[in-house]
Amino acid sequence: MNREEAFNLLKEYVKEDSLIKHSLAVETSMITYANHFNEDLDKWSITGLLHDIDFEMYPQEHPYKGLEILREKGIDEDIIYAIKGHGKKEEERESLLAKTLYAVDELSSFIVASALVRPTKFEGLKAKSVKKKLKTKSFAAAVDRDQIKESSEDLNMDLTEHINILIEGLRNREEDLNKENLSLL
Ligand SMILES: [Fe+2]
Ligand SMILES: [Fe+2]
């Protein structure tokens, strides 16, 4: 499956704009890290795009229903392993792909939320201000701060560097998406 087919598959299962945007943000972060780690761009992109494919239709069975949907489509087992790994804290995440997905899932949308409340959005957004918002419990209160901290440690990334890498990736992607009438914001 290529990236375009994956995006079409996502749109079959996801109609909510907010979940499409989350999927695109996580995809962006996965592509950014595929570049950073010199990994397969398409594989990492598809992992990000499809990680929440079942969340709208089968929230109680997430992500396990998604694994079934993706297996039926013949998706690589290492993508399926990584997607399974993001579902619960207790899941196994031995591969770099799985560790990265887990480390960018919550944080990507947190950075997007941080950009949304600024007049200049991603432009000029610094890790320092994202970290300050992480300490503000009332901001994006649903985001699990411990998950962000633990998952970045498991990826062996310093949190400031991790956030900076993602900000840059998200900012660049937003410009490209705007040309296609799409947005992360
Ligand atoms: Fe999820
Ligand atoms: Fe997600």
Side-chain angles (χ1 to χ4, degrees):
M1 182 175 293
N2 62 31
R3 194 268 167 197
E4 197 189 337
E5 288 164 338
F7 192 48
N8 288 333
L9 182 64
L10 178 71
K11 287 187 289 186
E12 274 179 41
Y13 284 87
V14 177
K15 307 296 172 196
E16 277 168 33
D17 199 37
S18 60
L19 190 51
I20 296 278
K21 284 180 172 168
H22 170 69
S23 304
L24 286 170
V26 174
E27 182 206 18
T28 300
S29 297
M30 292 303 286
I31 295 171
T32 305
Y33 266 117
N35 274 314
H36 185 82
F37 294 135
N38 220 351
E39 295 284 341
D40 183 326
L41 287 174
D42 255 28
K43 178 188 269 188
W44 284 52
S45 154
I46 291 168
T47 306
L49 264 182
L50 299 181
H51 79 286
D52 279 340
I53 189 165
D54 57 349
F55 191 74
E56 186 177 310
M57 288 173 71
Y58 310 94
Q60 304 300 329
E61 293 161 79
H62 173 68
Y64 307 103
K65 182 70 186 175
L67 310 181
E68 282 172 32
I69 296 166
L70 299 179
R71 273 205 182 95
E72 260 171 43
K73 297 286 172 186
I75 296 270
D76 282 7
E77 276 304 315
D78 37 356
I79 294 180
I80 290 175
Y81 172 85
I83 292 178
K84 181 169 185 269
H86 96 278
K88 282 197 186 86
K89 190 177 192 266
E90 307 74 46
E91 288 288 355
E92 184 187 288
R93 284 175 294 277
E94 294 296 330
S95 66
L96 186 60
L97 187 64
K99 287 179 201 293
T100 306
L101 178 64
Y102 195 59
V104 305
D105 183 19
E106 296 257 19
L107 185 55
S108 303
S109 281
F110 190 86
I111 293 172
V112 170
S114 304
L116 261 173
V117 296
R118 305 175 71 250
T120 56
K121 309 301 180 208
F122 290 114
E123 218 45 65
L125 177 61
K126 298 274 191 306
K128 199 178 154 190
S129 105
V130 174
K131 287 177 85 174
K132 203 174 155 192
K133 287 186 167 65
L134 282 171
K135 288 192 185 117
T136 310
K137 290 206 170 66
S138 58
F139 182 83
V143 172
D144 181 350
R145 271 60 173 175
D146 290 339
Q147 193 277 350
I148 289 178
K149 188 172 169 285
E150 285 161 21
S151 62
S152 63
E153 283 168 6
D154 195 37
L155 188 60
N156 266 323
M157 290 299 295
D158 166 73
L159 186 58
T160 304
E161 193 193 352
H162 184 36
I163 293 171
N164 275 327
I165 287 171
L166 295 189
I167 290 174
E168 196 187 337
L170 291 162
R171 187 185 60 222
N172 293 335
R173 185 74 190 285
E174 177 66 10
E175 282 177 24
D176 291 342
L177 286 173
N178 288 347
K179 290 173 201 153
E180 301 169 47
N181 278 323
L182 291 167
S183 174
L184 299 169
L185 297 167

